[in-house]
Amino acid sequence: MILRGAPGMVPGPGKEAGPPRLPPCGPWLVQVRLATGLTSEEYVSQKAWRSARLERCPFHPEGGCGLAGHGTYPRVSPPGCLIARWWCPTARTSISLLPDFLCSRLKGTLAEVETVVGAADAAPTREAASERLRPAVELPGVLRWLRRRTRLVHAGLAAVIGLLPELLAGCEPTVTSVRSALGAEVVLVCLRDRAAQHLGHLPPPLGFGPRPLRRRPSPTALQQEAGPDPPAGAR
Ligand SMILES: [Zn+2]
């Protein structure tokens, strides 16, 4: 059996934690939406992964590829939460059915990450938000934790604003602004549904696409950009 890892997954016995060392573009983790309408508590108590069905292979919607159930894997949080997984032998890829309340490629639920980023958006400074959100943890660590979530969620919101102009025209890519536009207190789960057909291109934790590129270029890239000519041997 092939085991593929992902952030938030519990490694099996004897397996290494963390994502596998594959090229970032590789099909190491394909997620599709499981539109449950359930809360995380309901999903776990009803063991809703048992009834989760993948109707069509995302690679072969015409069928005939041998798509088959491939068991489940556990998420670290919420406790007891399993994810249904399918296997396409033609694409040699496993496909997991991620229920709407769960983050993609980030621990926990969308509501949890939204609470954190919403608090950061509303706070006067990131430092103030950090001290309030995780007072027991040292500030540099909390700032990194917070910056990562804020960057990912804001990137997802910016993309959704562009994709759904009729819904979100004039919005800032912040939790505060999108909440106000939708008149809702919880928006990320709602956007899973509203932007359902675009999820494959949206960054996690909202979508199932790749992480956004970092804005800050690497020191090497800066050096190369500084000169008028390409570095020697680059041609
Ligand atoms: Zn297939």
Side-chain angles (χ1 to χ4, degrees), residues 2-10 27-36 43 48-49 51-59 67-75 81-88 91-100 102-106 192 199-200 206-209:
I2 294 176
L3 274 175
R4 288 156 192 262
M9 274 179 64
V10 178
W28 58 274
L29 178 72
V30 172
Q31 295 175 317
V32 298
R33 179 181 179 222
L34 178 63
T36 61
Y43 177 87
W49 53 86
S51 55
R53 290 286 173 272
L54 182 59
E55 299 295 340
R56 273 188 296 275
C57 175
F59 304 102
L67 184 72
H70 193 44
T72 56
Y73 65 84
R75 290 272 296 219
C81 180
L82 300 189
I83 302 298
R85 182 168 50 179
W86 295 68
W87 171 250
C88 170
R92 299 190 56 75
T93 298
S94 64
I95 302 140
S96 41
L97 271 68
L98 200 69
D100 276 346
L102 269 184
C103 287
S104 167
R105 304 184 190 212
L106 200 64
R192 268 274 170 86
L199 290 174
L206 175 61
F208 309 140

Short mmCIF file of all heavy atoms in Angstrom, two decimals, residues 2-10 27-36 43 48-49 51-59 67-75 81-88 91-100 102-106 192 199-200 206-209:
data_model
loop_
_atom_site.label_atom_id
_atom_site.label_comp_id
_atom_site.label_asym_id
_atom_site.label_seq_id
_atom_site.Cartn_x
_atom_site.Cartn_y
_atom_site.Cartn_z
N ILE A 2 0.49 2.21 -0.76
CA ILE A 2 1.25 3.45 -0.80
C ILE A 2 0.64 4.43 0.18
O ILE A 2 -0.55 4.69 0.14
CB ILE A 2 1.24 4.05 -2.21
CG1 ILE A 2 1.99 3.11 -3.15
CG2 ILE A 2 1.87 5.44 -2.23
CD1 ILE A 2 1.98 3.55 -4.59
N LEU A 3 1.47 4.94 1.08
CA LEU A 3 0.98 5.94 2.04
C LEU A 3 1.55 7.29 1.65
O LEU A 3 2.74 7.44 1.48
CB LEU A 3 1.47 5.60 3.45
CG LEU A 3 0.60 4.63 4.25
CD1 LEU A 3 1.28 4.31 5.56
CD2 LEU A 3 -0.77 5.23 4.50
N ARG A 4 0.70 8.22 1.49
CA ARG A 4 1.15 9.57 1.18
C ARG A 4 0.83 10.47 2.35
O ARG A 4 -0.25 10.43 2.88
CB ARG A 4 0.44 10.09 -0.08
CG ARG A 4 0.94 9.40 -1.33
CD ARG A 4 -0.09 9.46 -2.41
NE ARG A 4 0.30 8.55 -3.49
CZ ARG A 4 0.92 8.94 -4.59
NH1 ARG A 4 1.21 10.19 -4.77
NH2 ARG A 4 1.23 8.08 -5.52
N GLY A 5 1.77 11.32 2.73
CA GLY A 5 1.58 12.15 3.91
C GLY A 5 1.08 13.53 3.55
O GLY A 5 1.16 13.95 2.41
N ALA A 6 0.56 14.21 4.52
CA ALA A 6 0.13 15.59 4.34
C ALA A 6 0.10 16.24 5.70
O ALA A 6 -0.09 15.57 6.70
CB ALA A 6 -1.25 15.65 3.73
N PRO A 7 0.30 17.58 5.75
CA PRO A 7 0.19 18.25 7.03
C PRO A 7 -1.18 17.95 7.65
O PRO A 7 -2.17 17.99 6.96
CB PRO A 7 0.32 19.73 6.68
CG PRO A 7 1.04 19.72 5.38
CD PRO A 7 0.62 18.47 4.67
N GLY A 8 -1.18 17.66 8.92
CA GLY A 8 -2.44 17.34 9.56
C GLY A 8 -2.72 15.86 9.60
O GLY A 8 -3.61 15.41 10.28
N MET A 9 -1.98 15.09 8.82
CA MET A 9 -2.17 13.64 8.85
C MET A 9 -1.36 13.05 9.97
O MET A 9 -0.29 13.52 10.31
CB MET A 9 -1.68 13.02 7.54
CG MET A 9 -2.68 12.99 6.44
SD MET A 9 -1.99 12.26 4.95
CE MET A 9 -1.64 10.59 5.47
N VAL A 10 -1.85 11.97 10.54
CA VAL A 10 -1.08 11.23 11.51
C VAL A 10 -0.30 10.16 10.76
O VAL A 10 -0.89 9.38 10.02
CB VAL A 10 -2.01 10.57 12.54
CG1 VAL A 10 -1.21 9.75 13.51
CG2 VAL A 10 -2.82 11.63 13.27
N PRO A 27 1.57 14.90 -8.06
CA PRO A 27 0.21 14.66 -7.59
C PRO A 27 0.21 13.92 -6.26
O PRO A 27 -0.42 12.89 -6.11
CB PRO A 27 -0.39 13.81 -8.71
CG PRO A 27 0.78 13.06 -9.24
CD PRO A 27 1.98 13.94 -9.07
N TRP A 28 0.98 14.45 -5.26
CA TRP A 28 1.14 13.70 -4.03
C TRP A 28 -0.06 13.79 -3.13
O TRP A 28 -0.26 12.97 -2.27
CB TRP A 28 2.40 14.13 -3.30
CG TRP A 28 2.45 15.58 -2.95
CD1 TRP A 28 2.90 16.58 -3.74
CD2 TRP A 28 2.03 16.18 -1.73
NE1 TRP A 28 2.77 17.78 -3.08
CE2 TRP A 28 2.26 17.57 -1.85
CE3 TRP A 28 1.49 15.69 -0.53
CZ2 TRP A 28 1.95 18.46 -0.84
CZ3 TRP A 28 1.19 16.59 0.47
CH2 TRP A 28 1.43 17.96 0.31
N LEU A 29 -0.88 14.80 -3.31
CA LEU A 29 -2.06 14.90 -2.47
C LEU A 29 -3.14 15.61 -3.25
O LEU A 29 -3.07 16.81 -3.46
CB LEU A 29 -1.76 15.68 -1.19
CG LEU A 29 -2.97 15.87 -0.28
CD1 LEU A 29 -3.35 14.58 0.39
CD2 LEU A 29 -2.71 16.94 0.76
N VAL A 30 -4.10 14.84 -3.70
CA VAL A 30 -5.22 15.45 -4.41
C VAL A 30 -6.41 15.44 -3.48
O VAL A 30 -6.76 14.41 -2.92
CB VAL A 30 -5.52 14.68 -5.71
CG1 VAL A 30 -6.79 15.19 -6.34
CG2 VAL A 30 -4.36 14.83 -6.67
N GLN A 31 -6.99 16.60 -3.28
CA GLN A 31 -8.15 16.70 -2.42
C GLN A 31 -9.35 17.15 -3.24
O GLN A 31 -9.20 17.96 -4.16
CB GLN A 31 -7.89 17.73 -1.30
CG GLN A 31 -6.78 17.29 -0.38
CD GLN A 31 -6.44 18.35 0.65
OE1 GLN A 31 -6.35 19.53 0.34
NE2 GLN A 31 -6.24 17.93 1.88
N VAL A 32 -10.48 16.60 -2.93
CA VAL A 32 -11.72 17.10 -3.52
C VAL A 32 -12.69 17.41 -2.39
O VAL A 32 -12.55 16.92 -1.27
CB VAL A 32 -12.35 16.10 -4.52
CG1 VAL A 32 -11.44 15.84 -5.70
CG2 VAL A 32 -12.71 14.81 -3.83
N ARG A 33 -13.65 18.24 -2.71
CA ARG A 33 -14.57 18.72 -1.70
C ARG A 33 -15.59 17.65 -1.33
O ARG A 33 -16.19 17.03 -2.21
CB ARG A 33 -15.29 19.96 -2.25
CG ARG A 33 -16.28 20.52 -1.30
CD ARG A 33 -16.99 21.74 -1.90
NE ARG A 33 -17.96 22.22 -0.95
CZ ARG A 33 -19.18 22.63 -1.28
NH1 ARG A 33 -19.56 22.66 -2.53
NH2 ARG A 33 -20.01 23.03 -0.34
N LEU A 34 -15.80 17.47 -0.04
CA LEU A 34 -16.92 16.68 0.44
C LEU A 34 -17.92 17.67 1.04
O LEU A 34 -17.69 18.20 2.13
CB LEU A 34 -16.46 15.66 1.49
CG LEU A 34 -17.55 14.80 2.11
CD1 LEU A 34 -18.22 13.93 1.05
CD2 LEU A 34 -16.99 13.93 3.22
N ALA A 35 -18.97 17.96 0.27
CA ALA A 35 -19.96 18.95 0.72
C ALA A 35 -20.90 18.28 1.71
O ALA A 35 -21.87 17.64 1.33
CB ALA A 35 -20.73 19.49 -0.49
N THR A 36 -20.57 18.37 2.98
CA THR A 36 -21.35 17.64 3.99
C THR A 36 -22.43 18.51 4.62
O THR A 36 -23.49 18.00 4.96
CB THR A 36 -20.45 17.16 5.14
OG1 THR A 36 -19.87 18.30 5.75
CG2 THR A 36 -19.39 16.23 4.65
N TYR A 43 -19.79 15.41 12.01
CA TYR A 43 -19.05 14.54 11.08
C TYR A 43 -18.38 13.40 11.85
O TYR A 43 -18.43 12.25 11.44
CB TYR A 43 -18.02 15.38 10.34
CG TYR A 43 -17.12 14.63 9.38
CD1 TYR A 43 -17.50 14.40 8.07
CD2 TYR A 43 -15.86 14.20 9.79
CE1 TYR A 43 -16.65 13.73 7.18
CE2 TYR A 43 -15.01 13.54 8.92
CZ TYR A 43 -15.41 13.31 7.61
OH TYR A 43 -14.56 12.65 6.75
N ALA A 48 -19.11 10.22 9.35
CA ALA A 48 -19.65 10.52 8.02
C ALA A 48 -18.70 10.12 6.89
O ALA A 48 -19.11 10.05 5.73
CB ALA A 48 -19.98 12.01 7.92
N TRP A 49 -17.44 9.84 7.21
CA TRP A 49 -16.51 9.38 6.17
C TRP A 49 -16.95 8.03 5.61
O TRP A 49 -16.60 7.69 4.48
CB TRP A 49 -15.09 9.29 6.73
CG TRP A 49 -14.97 8.47 7.97
CD1 TRP A 49 -14.80 7.13 8.06
CD2 TRP A 49 -15.05 8.96 9.31
NE1 TRP A 49 -14.78 6.74 9.37
CE2 TRP A 49 -14.92 7.84 10.17
CE3 TRP A 49 -15.22 10.23 9.89
CZ2 TRP A 49 -14.95 7.95 11.57
CZ3 TRP A 49 -15.24 10.33 11.27
CH2 TRP A 49 -15.12 9.21 12.09
N SER A 51 -19.87 7.13 4.73
CA SER A 51 -20.84 7.27 3.62
C SER A 51 -20.32 8.20 2.53
O SER A 51 -21.02 8.45 1.55
CB SER A 51 -22.17 7.78 4.17
OG SER A 51 -21.96 8.98 4.88
N ALA A 52 -19.08 8.71 2.70
CA ALA A 52 -18.53 9.61 1.67
C ALA A 52 -18.26 8.84 0.39
O ALA A 52 -17.67 7.77 0.42
CB ALA A 52 -17.24 10.25 2.19
N ARG A 53 -18.72 9.37 -0.72
CA ARG A 53 -18.52 8.71 -2.02
C ARG A 53 -17.91 9.68 -3.01
O ARG A 53 -18.35 10.83 -3.11
CB ARG A 53 -19.87 8.23 -2.59
CG ARG A 53 -20.49 7.07 -1.83
CD ARG A 53 -19.77 5.76 -2.11
NE ARG A 53 -20.26 4.67 -1.26
CZ ARG A 53 -19.78 4.40 -0.04
NH1 ARG A 53 -18.81 5.13 0.47
NH2 ARG A 53 -20.27 3.41 0.67
N LEU A 54 -16.94 9.22 -3.74
CA LEU A 54 -16.38 10.02 -4.83
C LEU A 54 -17.06 9.55 -6.11
O LEU A 54 -16.84 8.43 -6.57
CB LEU A 54 -14.86 9.82 -4.89
CG LEU A 54 -14.11 10.62 -5.95
CD1 LEU A 54 -14.30 12.11 -5.76
CD2 LEU A 54 -12.62 10.28 -5.91
N GLU A 55 -17.93 10.40 -6.64
CA GLU A 55 -18.76 9.98 -7.78
C GLU A 55 -17.93 9.78 -9.04
O GLU A 55 -18.16 8.86 -9.81
CB GLU A 55 -19.86 11.02 -8.04
CG GLU A 55 -20.81 11.23 -6.87
CD GLU A 55 -21.65 10.00 -6.55
OE1 GLU A 55 -21.77 9.14 -7.45
OE2 GLU A 55 -22.13 9.90 -5.41
N ARG A 56 -16.98 10.70 -9.23
CA ARG A 56 -16.19 10.67 -10.48
C ARG A 56 -14.73 10.90 -10.15
O ARG A 56 -14.40 11.70 -9.28
CB ARG A 56 -16.65 11.79 -11.42
CG ARG A 56 -17.81 11.41 -12.31
CD ARG A 56 -18.07 12.48 -13.34
NE ARG A 56 -18.49 13.73 -12.74
CZ ARG A 56 -19.75 14.00 -12.42
NH1 ARG A 56 -20.69 13.13 -12.64
NH2 ARG A 56 -20.06 15.15 -11.85
N CYS A 57 -13.87 10.24 -10.87
CA CYS A 57 -12.44 10.48 -10.71
C CYS A 57 -12.14 11.88 -11.26
O CYS A 57 -12.54 12.21 -12.36
CB CYS A 57 -11.64 9.44 -11.47
SG CYS A 57 -9.86 9.76 -11.44
N PRO A 58 -11.41 12.73 -10.49
CA PRO A 58 -11.10 14.06 -11.01
C PRO A 58 -10.21 14.04 -12.25
O PRO A 58 -10.20 14.99 -13.03
CB PRO A 58 -10.40 14.75 -9.83
CG PRO A 58 -9.99 13.66 -8.90
CD PRO A 58 -10.92 12.51 -9.13
N PHE A 59 -9.49 12.95 -12.46
CA PHE A 59 -8.63 12.85 -13.65
C PHE A 59 -9.36 12.22 -14.83
O PHE A 59 -9.02 12.46 -15.97
CB PHE A 59 -7.39 12.00 -13.34
CG PHE A 59 -6.60 12.49 -12.17
CD1 PHE A 59 -6.71 11.87 -10.94
CD2 PHE A 59 -5.77 13.59 -12.29
CE1 PHE A 59 -6.00 12.33 -9.84
CE2 PHE A 59 -5.06 14.05 -11.22
CZ PHE A 59 -5.17 13.42 -9.99
N LEU A 67 -11.11 3.51 -10.55
CA LEU A 67 -11.23 4.22 -9.28
C LEU A 67 -11.85 3.32 -8.21
O LEU A 67 -12.86 2.69 -8.46
CB LEU A 67 -12.11 5.47 -9.49
CG LEU A 67 -12.27 6.40 -8.28
CD1 LEU A 67 -10.98 7.17 -8.03
CD2 LEU A 67 -13.42 7.37 -8.51
N ALA A 68 -11.21 3.30 -7.04
CA ALA A 68 -11.71 2.41 -5.98
C ALA A 68 -11.45 3.04 -4.63
O ALA A 68 -10.54 3.85 -4.47
CB ALA A 68 -10.99 1.06 -6.06
N GLY A 69 -12.26 2.64 -3.65
CA GLY A 69 -12.06 3.10 -2.28
C GLY A 69 -10.68 2.70 -1.78
O GLY A 69 -10.16 1.65 -2.16
N HIS A 70 -10.09 3.56 -0.95
CA HIS A 70 -8.71 3.32 -0.51
C HIS A 70 -8.60 3.58 0.99
O HIS A 70 -7.63 4.14 1.48
CB HIS A 70 -7.80 4.26 -1.31
CG HIS A 70 -6.34 3.94 -1.21
ND1 HIS A 70 -5.84 2.67 -1.28
CD2 HIS A 70 -5.25 4.75 -1.04
CE1 HIS A 70 -4.53 2.70 -1.17
NE2 HIS A 70 -4.15 3.95 -1.01
N GLY A 71 -9.68 3.22 1.72
CA GLY A 71 -9.64 3.34 3.17
C GLY A 71 -9.76 4.77 3.65
O GLY A 71 -10.32 5.63 2.97
N THR A 72 -9.19 5.00 4.82
CA THR A 72 -9.27 6.33 5.43
C THR A 72 -7.92 6.67 6.03
O THR A 72 -7.06 5.80 6.17
CB THR A 72 -10.30 6.36 6.58
OG1 THR A 72 -9.94 5.34 7.52
CG2 THR A 72 -11.71 6.14 6.09
N TYR A 73 -7.74 7.95 6.36
CA TYR A 73 -6.59 8.33 7.19
C TYR A 73 -7.07 9.32 8.24
O TYR A 73 -8.04 10.04 8.01
CB TYR A 73 -5.43 8.89 6.37
CG TYR A 73 -5.69 10.20 5.65
CD1 TYR A 73 -5.55 11.43 6.32
CD2 TYR A 73 -6.06 10.22 4.31
CE1 TYR A 73 -5.79 12.62 5.67
CE2 TYR A 73 -6.30 11.42 3.66
CZ TYR A 73 -6.16 12.61 4.34
OH TYR A 73 -6.38 13.80 3.69
N PRO A 74 -6.40 9.34 9.39
CA PRO A 74 -6.85 10.23 10.48
C PRO A 74 -6.23 11.61 10.38
O PRO A 74 -5.09 11.77 9.93
CB PRO A 74 -6.35 9.50 11.73
CG PRO A 74 -5.16 8.75 11.28
CD PRO A 74 -5.33 8.43 9.82
N ARG A 75 -6.99 12.60 10.80
CA ARG A 75 -6.45 13.94 10.99
C ARG A 75 -6.11 14.11 12.47
O ARG A 75 -6.76 13.53 13.34
CB ARG A 75 -7.50 14.99 10.60
CG ARG A 75 -7.78 15.07 9.13
CD ARG A 75 -6.86 16.03 8.42
NE ARG A 75 -7.03 17.40 8.85
CZ ARG A 75 -6.98 18.46 8.04
NH1 ARG A 75 -6.77 18.29 6.75
NH2 ARG A 75 -7.13 19.67 8.50
N CYS A 81 -11.31 12.29 13.84
CA CYS A 81 -11.77 12.65 12.49
C CYS A 81 -10.99 11.84 11.44
O CYS A 81 -9.77 11.92 11.37
CB CYS A 81 -11.55 14.14 12.29
SG CYS A 81 -12.07 14.73 10.69
N LEU A 82 -11.71 11.08 10.65
CA LEU A 82 -11.08 10.33 9.56
C LEU A 82 -11.50 10.92 8.22
O LEU A 82 -12.57 11.52 8.09
CB LEU A 82 -11.50 8.85 9.60
CG LEU A 82 -11.15 8.04 10.85
CD1 LEU A 82 -11.45 6.56 10.61
CD2 LEU A 82 -9.70 8.22 11.26
N ILE A 83 -10.62 10.74 7.25
CA ILE A 83 -10.86 11.26 5.90
C ILE A 83 -10.94 10.07 4.93
O ILE A 83 -10.04 9.22 4.92
CB ILE A 83 -9.69 12.18 5.47
CG1 ILE A 83 -9.52 13.34 6.44
CG2 ILE A 83 -9.90 12.69 4.04
CD1 ILE A 83 -10.69 14.27 6.53
N ALA A 84 -12.01 10.04 4.15
CA ALA A 84 -12.16 8.97 3.16
C ALA A 84 -11.20 9.21 2.00
O ALA A 84 -10.99 10.36 1.59
CB ALA A 84 -13.59 8.93 2.65
N ARG A 85 -10.64 8.12 1.50
CA ARG A 85 -9.63 8.25 0.46
C ARG A 85 -9.95 7.25 -0.66
O ARG A 85 -10.41 6.13 -0.40
CB ARG A 85 -8.26 7.96 1.06
CG ARG A 85 -7.10 8.10 0.12
CD ARG A 85 -5.80 8.09 0.87
NE ARG A 85 -5.72 6.97 1.81
CZ ARG A 85 -4.66 6.74 2.57
NH1 ARG A 85 -3.63 7.55 2.54
NH2 ARG A 85 -4.64 5.70 3.38
N TRP A 86 -9.70 7.68 -1.87
CA TRP A 86 -9.93 6.84 -3.04
C TRP A 86 -8.63 6.73 -3.82
O TRP A 86 -7.70 7.53 -3.63
CB TRP A 86 -11.06 7.42 -3.91
CG TRP A 86 -12.35 7.40 -3.17
CD1 TRP A 86 -12.70 8.14 -2.07
CD2 TRP A 86 -13.47 6.53 -3.41
NE1 TRP A 86 -13.94 7.80 -1.63
CE2 TRP A 86 -14.45 6.82 -2.43
CE3 TRP A 86 -13.74 5.54 -4.36
CZ2 TRP A 86 -15.67 6.16 -2.38
CZ3 TRP A 86 -14.96 4.89 -4.32
CH2 TRP A 86 -15.91 5.19 -3.34
N TRP A 87 -8.55 5.74 -4.69
CA TRP A 87 -7.31 5.49 -5.41
C TRP A 87 -7.61 5.33 -6.89
O TRP A 87 -8.49 4.55 -7.27
CB TRP A 87 -6.65 4.22 -4.86
CG TRP A 87 -5.47 3.71 -5.63
CD1 TRP A 87 -5.41 2.59 -6.40
CD2 TRP A 87 -4.16 4.30 -5.71
NE1 TRP A 87 -4.17 2.44 -6.94
CE2 TRP A 87 -3.37 3.48 -6.54
CE3 TRP A 87 -3.59 5.45 -5.16
CZ2 TRP A 87 -2.05 3.77 -6.83
CZ3 TRP A 87 -2.26 5.73 -5.44
CH2 TRP A 87 -1.52 4.90 -6.27
N CYS A 88 -6.90 6.12 -7.71
CA CYS A 88 -7.01 5.97 -9.15
C CYS A 88 -5.75 5.24 -9.63
O CYS A 88 -4.66 5.81 -9.60
CB CYS A 88 -7.11 7.33 -9.85
SG CYS A 88 -6.96 7.17 -11.65
N ALA A 91 -3.97 7.01 -12.77
CA ALA A 91 -3.15 8.18 -12.44
C ALA A 91 -2.16 7.87 -11.32
O ALA A 91 -1.31 8.70 -11.00
CB ALA A 91 -4.04 9.35 -12.02
N ARG A 92 -2.29 6.68 -10.72
CA ARG A 92 -1.48 6.28 -9.57
C ARG A 92 -1.49 7.37 -8.50
O ARG A 92 -0.45 7.82 -7.99
CB ARG A 92 -0.04 5.97 -9.99
CG ARG A 92 0.05 4.80 -10.99
CD ARG A 92 1.47 4.35 -11.22
NE ARG A 92 2.16 3.98 -9.98
CZ ARG A 92 1.95 2.85 -9.30
NH1 ARG A 92 1.06 1.97 -9.71
NH2 ARG A 92 2.63 2.59 -8.21
N THR A 93 -2.67 7.81 -8.13
CA THR A 93 -2.83 8.92 -7.20
C THR A 93 -3.98 8.63 -6.25
O THR A 93 -5.00 8.07 -6.66
CB THR A 93 -3.14 10.21 -7.98
OG1 THR A 93 -2.04 10.48 -8.85
CG2 THR A 93 -3.35 11.39 -7.07
N SER A 94 -3.76 8.98 -4.98
CA SER A 94 -4.87 8.87 -4.04
C SER A 94 -5.58 10.22 -3.95
O SER A 94 -4.96 11.27 -4.12
CB SER A 94 -4.40 8.40 -2.67
OG SER A 94 -3.55 9.32 -2.09
N ILE A 95 -6.86 10.14 -3.71
CA ILE A 95 -7.71 11.32 -3.71
C ILE A 95 -8.48 11.32 -2.39
O ILE A 95 -9.15 10.35 -2.07
CB ILE A 95 -8.71 11.26 -4.89
CG1 ILE A 95 -7.94 11.14 -6.21
CG2 ILE A 95 -9.63 12.47 -4.91
CD1 ILE A 95 -8.55 10.19 -7.19
N SER A 96 -8.34 12.40 -1.61
CA SER A 96 -9.06 12.43 -0.35
C SER A 96 -10.25 13.37 -0.41
O SER A 96 -10.22 14.38 -1.12
CB SER A 96 -8.14 12.78 0.82
OG SER A 96 -7.26 13.79 0.48
N LEU A 97 -11.28 13.00 0.31
CA LEU A 97 -12.53 13.76 0.32
C LEU A 97 -12.57 14.62 1.58
O LEU A 97 -12.86 14.13 2.67
CB LEU A 97 -13.74 12.80 0.29
CG LEU A 97 -14.23 12.40 -1.09
CD1 LEU A 97 -13.20 11.53 -1.79
CD2 LEU A 97 -15.54 11.68 -1.00
N LEU A 98 -12.24 15.88 1.41
CA LEU A 98 -12.10 16.77 2.56
C LEU A 98 -13.43 17.45 2.88
O LEU A 98 -13.96 18.21 2.07
CB LEU A 98 -11.05 17.84 2.24
CG LEU A 98 -10.44 18.54 3.44
CD1 LEU A 98 -9.54 17.58 4.22
CD2 LEU A 98 -9.66 19.77 3.03
N PRO A 99 -13.98 17.16 4.08
CA PRO A 99 -15.26 17.81 4.43
C PRO A 99 -15.08 19.32 4.56
O PRO A 99 -14.00 19.81 4.88
CB PRO A 99 -15.63 17.17 5.77
CG PRO A 99 -14.38 16.55 6.28
CD PRO A 99 -13.51 16.25 5.12
N ASP A 100 -16.16 20.04 4.31
CA ASP A 100 -16.09 21.50 4.18
C ASP A 100 -15.53 22.22 5.40
O ASP A 100 -14.97 23.30 5.27
CB ASP A 100 -17.49 22.06 3.89
CG ASP A 100 -17.81 21.99 2.41
OD1 ASP A 100 -16.88 21.76 1.61
OD2 ASP A 100 -18.98 22.17 2.05
N LEU A 102 -13.05 21.44 7.25
CA LEU A 102 -11.63 21.21 7.54
C LEU A 102 -10.72 22.05 6.66
O LEU A 102 -10.98 22.28 5.49
CB LEU A 102 -11.28 19.75 7.29
CG LEU A 102 -11.41 18.77 8.44
CD1 LEU A 102 -10.91 17.40 7.99
CD2 LEU A 102 -10.61 19.22 9.66
N CYS A 103 -9.61 22.48 7.26
CA CYS A 103 -8.57 23.16 6.50
C CYS A 103 -7.89 22.19 5.55
O CYS A 103 -7.68 21.02 5.87
CB CYS A 103 -7.48 23.66 7.46
SG CYS A 103 -7.95 25.07 8.43
N SER A 104 -7.53 22.69 4.39
CA SER A 104 -6.63 21.94 3.52
C SER A 104 -5.19 22.29 3.90
O SER A 104 -4.86 23.47 4.04
CB SER A 104 -6.90 22.35 2.07
OG SER A 104 -5.87 21.89 1.22
N ARG A 105 -4.38 21.28 4.10
CA ARG A 105 -2.94 21.43 4.33
C ARG A 105 -2.57 22.32 5.51
O ARG A 105 -1.52 22.97 5.52
CB ARG A 105 -2.24 21.95 3.07
CG ARG A 105 -2.52 21.05 1.89
CD ARG A 105 -1.78 21.47 0.66
NE ARG A 105 -2.28 20.72 -0.48
CZ ARG A 105 -1.56 20.35 -1.51
NH1 ARG A 105 -0.31 20.69 -1.58
NH2 ARG A 105 -2.10 19.67 -2.50
N LEU A 106 -3.45 22.36 6.47
CA LEU A 106 -3.19 23.10 7.70
C LEU A 106 -3.99 22.39 8.77
O LEU A 106 -5.10 21.92 8.50
CB LEU A 106 -3.67 24.55 7.53
CG LEU A 106 -3.11 25.63 8.45
CD1 LEU A 106 -1.61 25.81 8.22
CD2 LEU A 106 -3.82 26.95 8.19
N ARG A 192 -16.09 27.99 0.73
CA ARG A 192 -15.86 26.66 0.15
C ARG A 192 -16.99 26.33 -0.81
O ARG A 192 -16.78 25.75 -1.87
CB ARG A 192 -15.84 25.58 1.25
CG ARG A 192 -14.50 25.26 1.82
CD ARG A 192 -13.74 24.21 1.01
NE ARG A 192 -12.37 24.14 1.49
CZ ARG A 192 -11.98 23.41 2.50
NH1 ARG A 192 -12.85 22.64 3.14
NH2 ARG A 192 -10.73 23.43 2.87
N LEU A 199 -11.96 25.59 -6.37
CA LEU A 199 -11.15 25.17 -5.22
C LEU A 199 -9.79 24.61 -5.63
O LEU A 199 -8.80 24.78 -4.92
CB LEU A 199 -11.91 24.15 -4.37
CG LEU A 199 -13.12 24.72 -3.61
CD1 LEU A 199 -13.89 23.60 -2.92
CD2 LEU A 199 -12.69 25.77 -2.59
N GLY A 200 -9.73 23.97 -6.78
CA GLY A 200 -8.47 23.38 -7.23
C GLY A 200 -7.39 24.42 -7.51
O GLY A 200 -6.22 24.08 -7.57
N LEU A 206 -8.16 27.35 2.44
CA LEU A 206 -9.50 27.42 1.85
C LEU A 206 -9.62 26.46 0.67
O LEU A 206 -10.57 25.68 0.58
CB LEU A 206 -9.78 28.86 1.40
CG LEU A 206 -11.09 29.09 0.65
CD1 LEU A 206 -12.29 28.72 1.51
CD2 LEU A 206 -11.21 30.53 0.18
N GLY A 207 -8.66 26.54 -0.24
CA GLY A 207 -8.74 25.73 -1.46
C GLY A 207 -7.78 24.56 -1.43
O GLY A 207 -7.07 24.33 -0.45
N PHE A 208 -7.75 23.83 -2.52
CA PHE A 208 -6.94 22.63 -2.62
C PHE A 208 -5.75 22.83 -3.56
O PHE A 208 -5.11 21.87 -3.99
CB PHE A 208 -7.80 21.46 -3.12
CG PHE A 208 -9.08 21.29 -2.34
CD1 PHE A 208 -10.27 20.97 -2.97
CD2 PHE A 208 -9.09 21.46 -0.97
CE1 PHE A 208 -11.44 20.81 -2.26
CE2 PHE A 208 -10.26 21.31 -0.23
CZ PHE A 208 -11.45 20.98 -0.88
N GLY A 209 -5.50 24.06 -3.95
CA GLY A 209 -4.40 24.34 -4.86
C GLY A 209 -3.09 24.53 -4.13
O GLY A 209 -2.99 24.28 -2.93
#
